[in-house]
Amino acid sequence: MTTEINTDHLRARMVQRLLARGAIVSPAVEAAFRAVPRHCFAPEVSPEEVYEAPEAIFTKHVDGGRAVSSVSAPWLHARMLEAAELDVGMRVLEIGSGGCNAALLAEMVGPGGSVTSVDIDPDITDRARRLLAETGYTRVEVCTSDGAQPLAEAPPDGWDRIIVTTWATDLPEAWFEQLGASGRLVVPLRFRGLSRTLAFTWHGKHLRSDTSVVSGFLAMQGISVQAPRVVRLVDAEVRLVVDEEQPADDQALRKAFVSTRRERWSGVELTGSEGLLPRLDVWLAGEVVPYGRLRATQAAAERGLVGWVLGSGAGAVWNGDSLAYLTLRQAPGKPEHFELGAIGHGPAGDELASRLTDTLVRWDATARRTGEPLVRAYRRRGAEQPEGVVIEKPSARLTIT
Ligand SMILES: C[S@@+](CC[C@H](N)C(=O)[O-])C[C@H]1O[C@@H](n2cnc3c(N)ncnc32)[C@H](O)[C@@H]1O
């Protein structure tokens, strides 16, 4: 009895926090969060820890500690459920099973809907099945399968919602094939070194995003995975995340990075409270070719190896023997304002840095006030030809405007 009261109280406090930070917006998501006993899906840790945890709770590790499964962070469950725009009676596919999110989905679609949850790992599906049964969510169907493959259980007219809860590097053909005509696909997608949870709907024969959430996830396993491509510029301390099939000469770029630094400043200013950098990063990925992310450790920054680079990294461009990346500086005399600029290295470093600052000026004039960039996803095998800069994935083509 005491435990019951305690967990109800802890859950109510968690819901209050999620409402306060704007992660829960709709009454339906709030009701689902109030109903699902989250602590029952992570019995390895105390209820206090489950309800107070700001981020994911890892539930399986391999290879001396690498996490491969988790119960995702409450704020991320909430943001993804809001992005999914669920309704009663819907048929939902969840890819990646922890049990907790499937229970939330089951609450939201009600007894007239259906939830099928697939995971590639039989330990995880066994666990999810057991925890869902213990909490009374027996109507969630749990299957062991690679979620990138078509599922025999899919409704003939496709799923109303596909919710991917593992970090995808591609949009496999099966998702295009098995998403219903009015469906929504919510997926944490990695492209050009960036990670965004995107919600897509159909527009003719391609998908368009209408929601973007900055979020990390555990990497997807199985057939559709594209290994990240990283150039170590200074050991593991300064890295250039290249991704996709973008040519990069590791040795030449390492050599460039230790050559003289050239700075260019754009005159484009931001304030921290505008929160524009995540949008700018995605927009640049649709404009600059090649485009990736320069990442540096705190120690590298303290040693002056890089200019001002945030923890999430900085957009970067390169060619055969030179590179440039975005940076910031305090705008003179304006404590809350930061000016965007670029730092170049190598024979064409100055030219690449100017290219970046010219693009920043164009963003300021055209895209700064237009909201989240729009990501379009085309089937690689489809007849429709995307226009502009195309990010090539094994099964999909992306454009960003
Ligand atoms: C973050 S956890 C899922 C969290 C969960 N949905 C929850 O309720 O919080 C990611 C899961 O994705 C699974 N996974 C990875 N690759 C997969 C694939 N190709 N198909 C299905 N599941 C996959 C992993 O085994 C892991 O259990």
Side-chain angles (χ1 to χ4, degrees):
M1 185 63 179
T2 326
T3 314
E4 274 310 303
I5 293 164
N6 192 18
T7 56
D8 283 352
H9 176 66
L10 290 168
R11 188 153 62 252
R13 279 201 352 212
M14 176 190 70
V15 171
Q16 265 335 105
R17 284 195 301 274
L18 295 172
L19 284 164
R21 74 179 275 185
I24 294 180
V25 180
S26 64
V29 172
E30 181 182 344
F33 264 82
R34 290 198 187 281
V36 171
R38 188 175 194 86
H39 60 287
C40 298
F41 294 97
E44 302 84 352
V45 297
S46 72
E48 285 80 1
E49 211 175 311
V50 173
Y51 287 108
E52 301 294 329
E55 294 300 336
I57 294 172
F58 298 114
T59 53
K60 182 175 176 181
H61 296 85
V62 293
D63 300 344
R66 184 168 58 88
V68 289
S69 195
S70 67
V71 174
S72 300
W75 70 268
L76 192 49
H77 275 157
R79 295 290 304 268
M80 289 181 79
L81 292 176
E82 294 288 2
E85 297 181 5
L86 292 144
D87 213 341
V88 288
M90 285 185 170
R91 297 150 308 169
V92 182
L93 171 66
E94 179 195 46
I95 296 175
S97 315
C100 186
N101 191 51
L104 290 163
L105 290 168
E107 286 289 339
M108 294 196 65
V109 299
S114 73
V115 179
T116 303
S117 182
V118 300
D119 202 289
I120 199 164
D121 184 335
D123 289 350
I124 303 302
T125 46
D126 284 352
R127 180 180 189 279
R129 227 177 260 119
R130 176 170 50 80
L131 298 177
L132 285 162
E134 284 170 11
T135 46
Y137 291 98
T138 43
R139 58 201 177 78
V140 175
E141 192 72 37
V142 182
C143 315
T144 307
S145 170
D146 186 331
Q149 303 268 27
L151 260 198
E153 291 80 354
D157 55 345
W159 301 100
D160 297 313
R161 299 291 183 263
I162 299 179
I163 319 285
V164 185
T165 65
T166 173
W167 200 1
T169 50
D170 188 17
L171 298 180
E173 185 59 27
W175 301 350
F176 286 104
E177 238 170 61
Q178 298 198 320
L179 181 68
S182 321
R184 281 176 84 74
L185 165 67
V186 180
V187 54
L189 187 63
R190 177 174 170 140
F191 51 94
R192 300 292 202 247
L194 294 166
S195 173
R196 297 287 184 275
T197 295
L198 301 170
F200 287 104
T201 56
W202 285 113
H203 283 254
K205 292 194 182 315
H206 69 267
L207 296 169
R208 286 190 196 176
S209 71
D210 59 19
T211 309
S212 172
V213 180
V214 179
S215 56
F217 253 98
L218 291 176
M220 194 159 178
Q221 307 157 45
I223 56 158
S224 83
V225 179
Q226 237 185 345
R229 163 110 161 79
V230 177
V231 176
R232 289 177 168 224
L233 296 171
V234 181
D235 302 323
E237 285 193 294
V238 185
R239 291 159 294 141
L240 180 67
V241 183
V242 170
D243 280 355
E244 289 97 25
E245 286 159 21
Q246 304 188 90
D249 181 335
D250 296 43
Q251 230 179 331
L253 293 178
R254 263 195 290 278
K255 189 170 157 212
F257 193 72
V258 293
S259 71
T260 315
R261 172 193 294 203
R262 308 259 176 224
E263 287 184 11
R264 289 271 174 176
W265 294 97
S266 64
V268 176
E269 289 181 12
L270 301 168
T271 62
S273 58
E274 285 173 294
L276 286 174
L277 275 179
R279 277 191 206 167
L280 170 63
D281 284 332
V282 174
W283 184 83
L284 287 170
E287 291 285 320
V288 178
V289 182
Y291 185 75
R293 252 179 133 61
L294 183 116
R295 289 183 173 272
T297 59
Q298 178 82 23
E302 281 163 13
R303 280 164 49 212
L305 292 179
V306 288
W308 189 356
V309 169
L310 300 178
S312 56
V317 62
W318 61 95
N319 66 11
D321 59 7
S322 308
L323 76 153
Y325 61 94
L326 292 183
T327 191
L328 291 164
R329 69 177 175 190
Q330 195 94 48
K334 298 184 196 165
E336 299 296 315
H337 289 239
F338 304 95
E339 184 185 0
L340 288 163
I343 293 176
H345 291 274
D350 192 39
E351 189 192 318
L352 291 175
S354 296
R355 246 178 76 193
L356 278 182
T357 51
D358 288 351
T359 314
L360 291 170
V361 170
R362 197 149 45 80
W363 170 78
D364 191 42
T366 62
R368 181 181 183 130
R369 275 162 278 274
T370 56
E372 289 294 343
L374 171 66
V375 182
R376 291 179 175 82
Y378 301 78
R379 302 163 92 131
R380 194 144 181 175
R381 282 211 238 132
E384 214 180 347
Q385 284 304 317
E387 284 173 15
V389 172
V390 178
I391 301 174
E392 298 282 357
K393 297 286 190 181
S395 303
R397 298 193 151 113
L398 308 179
T399 65
I400 301 167
T401 51

